[in-house]
Amino acid sequence: MAHIVIIEDEPDLAMGLRDNLEFEHHKVSHAATGMEGLELLRDEPADLVLLDIMLPDIDGFEVCRRLRAAGCASPIIILSARGQEIDKVRGLELGADDYVTKPFSLKELLARITAALRRVSRASTAATVTTFKIGDRTVDLSRQKVIAGSEEITLGYYESEILRLLHTHLNEAVARGELLERIWGIGMSSADRTVDNHIVSLRRKIEPNPRKPRYLLTAHAVGYKLVT
Ligand code: CA
């Protein structure tokens, strides 16, 4: 059982999610505004946050930013009604772990929640410390940070797992489908943009010029590779 906080202003959607998550034996709390959600999470930490973007007061991006700034390390899955890739990337940049686009299939959302919770419990038992250099930046996977000079940039959970996997296959292309399967652990169509959006966000964190990547390269028609 996990404690899941839903920050969502559409009552029907929130209710439907609550019913389904409670059916899966999770404890569910619900907030209908961003501020209410932040308050709720201050009082009682969550194992996972489902976060809507369009909220009546502060938007989901701002909620996400404030949660991460306050040290919240729980997985955050964004429920985005907007289809634009740029919004999804923005959510990932601000520290969200994953997103689903409305209208989403409940089955897919539940699979992503289960995957996120499983990864967290696995990560907390893994004791391997992994630090490596990418150009003049240092990646510290155990703290999910990229250190660039005096600046520390936070990596999302999936971003750090993508780097971990690519680093174990240094200079080799890893297929998009393999990244999805090994990191998300659930079968998704290889046409899914999830991996690509995480790569865009990652490049902004590790590349000196994200528009002309030098380290995190696209392997045409295959996937991605990391060179250092
Ligand atoms: Ca909304």
Side-chain angles (χ1 to χ4, degrees):
M1 187 194 86
H3 178 217
I4 299 177
V5 168
I6 304 170
I7 306 177
E8 167 63 67
D9 63 328
E10 277 171 58
D12 290 350
L13 179 55
M15 188 103 68
L17 288 173
R18 177 196 280 272
D19 285 350
N20 279 283
L21 292 168
E22 284 179 348
F23 185 75
E24 306 272 321
H25 309 291
H26 295 304
K27 178 188 168 190
V28 179
S29 306
H30 170 235
T33 69
M35 292 308 287
E36 200 187 310
L38 288 172
E39 224 163 272
L40 212 153
L41 284 158
R42 225 177 354 246
D43 295 341
E44 193 183 356
D47 298 302
L48 186 135
V49 180
L50 295 178
L51 179 62
D52 183 27
I53 290 299
M54 300 292 276
L55 292 165
D57 52 350
I58 54 171
D59 69 16
F61 295 124
E62 180 59 17
V63 173
C64 186
R65 194 191 64 73
R66 291 193 196 180
L67 282 174
R68 290 305 187 225
C72 167
S74 314
I76 298 174
I77 300 179
I78 285 183
L79 311 174
S80 164
R82 310 173 179 185
Q84 291 121 347
E85 300 302 328
I86 190 71
D87 279 330
K88 295 168 185 166
V89 171
R90 191 169 162 222
L92 300 174
E93 274 190 292
L94 290 170
D97 295 274
D98 207 357
Y99 63 81
V100 291
T101 307
K102 294 179 190 175
F104 48 80
S105 95
L106 189 65
K107 201 173 148 212
E108 186 194 337
L109 177 64
L110 291 176
R112 286 186 188 238
I113 289 171
T114 306
L117 291 171
R118 193 174 52 223
R119 303 284 159 204
V120 170
S121 67
R122 198 179 294 166
S124 62
T125 54
T128 45
V129 177
T130 318
T131 308
F132 53 87
K133 298 280 272 185
I134 294 180
D136 56 7
R137 302 184 185 203
T138 303
V139 176
D140 183 347
L141 293 177
S142 61
R143 292 171 54 234
Q144 289 183 219
K145 299 279 184 197
V146 174
I147 299 120
S150 58
E151 199 193 349
E152 282 204 343
I153 305 158
T154 303
L155 293 168
Y157 174 73
Y158 291 109
E159 290 174 342
S160 75
E161 289 307 298
I162 289 172
L163 280 183
R164 189 192 302 276
L165 186 58
L166 291 177
H167 188 254
T168 58
H169 297 273
L170 207 56
N171 302 315
E172 285 169 36
V174 178
R176 221 180 245 98
E178 190 180 342
L179 287 163
L180 271 173
E181 203 180 305
R182 302 247 324 248
I183 295 172
W184 275 263
I186 45 181
M188 276 186 270
S189 143
S190 56
D192 190 287
R193 297 272 304 154
T194 298
V195 172
D196 309 275
N197 285 325
H198 279 82
I199 294 282
V200 171
S201 172
L202 252 179
R203 279 181 176 147
R204 294 194 185 151
K205 296 178 182 181
I206 65 169
E207 293 281 355
N209 180 358
R211 287 166 168 277
K212 289 189 179 152
R214 281 169 56 188
Y215 306 108
L216 183 47
L217 306 179
T218 303
H220 184 61
V222 182
Y224 295 98
K225 72 174 168 183
L226 184 68
V227 298
T228 56

